[in-house]
Amino acid sequence: MSSYCEAVRNLPLDNLHRQHHDTEHGFKAKNDDDLFRRLILEINQAGLSFDIVLKKKEQIYKEFSSIKKTARYANKDINRLINNPSIIRNKLKIRAIIFNAIKILEIQDKYGSFKSWLDSYYPQSKENWINLFKKTFKFTGPEIVNEFLMGTCYLPGAHTSSCKFYTQNSAKKVAQKVI
Ligand SMILES: [Zn+2]
């Protein structure tokens, strides 16, 4: 992802990649629902081009707008989602996203918030993060975990040092803290 900064630099301001890079990628999440949406965006991307996912991002964020709402999705909701061409229609991914929402509700109950749970492990090596996610969530392979944690400032590397967002989003601080 290190060349993403260069790739979007000269794109128009309303380009989906430019917008994602300038406003979300490598910026700390606003709250638990925001963290959740960022995680499921990465899950949705697995095996697909980022372009496809970004085009559907708004609708994906709408369908899975909150952890609570997603955790309550039953079979009839899964059927509705599978038939919604505006999102990624993959049953395995949808079931994993619902499973993860239920898991995060448990985490919120125990740790106060999803963010507090993540903070309690920060900083630690990428390998340890990958193991933690593997034993906690579904459909969170190494690439997904890496992209999610980079994108939310728990791992360094979201922006290159020549990018204007490098210092603004504390990526430099992250890089220094992680061994
Ligand atoms: Zn950048």
Side-chain angles (χ1 to χ4, degrees), residues 97-111:
I97 288 166
I98 296 168
F99 174 90
N100 293 341
I102 294 166
K103 270 280 171 192
I104 294 171
L105 282 187
E106 289 170 19
I107 286 169
Q108 287 178 330
D109 216 31
K110 209 168 161 188
Y111 292 83

Side-chain angles (χ1 to χ4, degrees), residues 4 15-27 30 34 37-42 44-45 49-65 84-88 151:
Y4 198 51
N15 177 276
L16 287 177
H17 287 276
R18 178 81 192 268
Q19 281 182 351
H20 184 75
H21 168 272
D22 289 8
T23 62
E24 192 170 309
H25 180 68
F27 290 82
K30 295 177 195 84
D34 192 18
R37 288 192 293 265
R38 308 262 206 110
L39 177 63
I40 65 145
L41 192 73
E42 300 299 340
N44 272 297
Q45 201 212 327
S49 83
F50 199 39
D51 206 51
I52 292 175
V53 178
L54 279 190
K55 278 178 187 148
K56 299 185 173 202
K57 184 171 103 167
E58 207 177 311
Q59 285 302 314
I60 292 171
Y61 278 5
K62 205 174 148 193
E63 290 288 15
F64 303 104
S65 58
N84 180 357
S86 307
I87 64 160
I88 305 296

Side-chain angles (χ1 to χ4, degrees), residues 37-151:
R37 288 192 293 265
R38 308 262 206 110
L39 177 63
I40 65 145
L41 192 73
E42 300 299 340
I43 290 173
N44 272 297
Q45 201 212 327
L48 300 170
S49 83
F50 199 39
D51 206 51
I52 292 175
V53 178
L54 279 190
K55 278 178 187 148
K56 299 185 173 202
K57 184 171 103 167
E58 207 177 311
Q59 285 302 314
I60 292 171
Y61 278 5
K62 205 174 148 193
E63 290 288 15
F64 303 104
S65 58
S66 86
I67 300 160
K68 256 188 196 147
K69 181 176 100 175
T70 307
R72 282 199 297 260
Y73 277 163
N75 281 336
K76 66 171 172 35
D77 301 297
I78 295 172
N79 286 335
R80 176 177 60 79
L81 293 166
I82 288 288
N83 287 302
N84 180 357
S86 307
I87 64 160
I88 305 296
R89 295 183 289 174
N90 178 315
K91 213 171 197 173
L92 270 182
K93 288 181 181 179
I94 292 169
R95 285 194 183 280
I97 288 166
I98 296 168
F99 174 90
N100 293 341
I102 294 166
K103 270 280 171 192
I104 294 171
L105 282 187
E106 289 170 19
I107 286 169
Q108 287 178 330
D109 216 31
K110 209 168 161 188
Y111 292 83
S113 69
F114 186 23
K115 183 186 180 296
S116 303
W117 180 76
L118 289 166
D119 289 347
S120 74
Y121 289 100
Y122 175 82
Q124 66 173 342
S125 70
K126 196 199 293 187
E127 286 67 35
N128 287 345
W129 281 118
I130 290 167
N131 286 333
L132 177 67
F133 274 65
K134 194 178 174 185
K135 66 178 186 194
T136 311
F137 300 116
K138 278 187 182 168
F139 223 110
T140 50
E143 259 317 291
I144 292 169
V145 173
N146 186 41
E147 290 296 333
F148 166 65
L149 294 172
M150 255 185 4

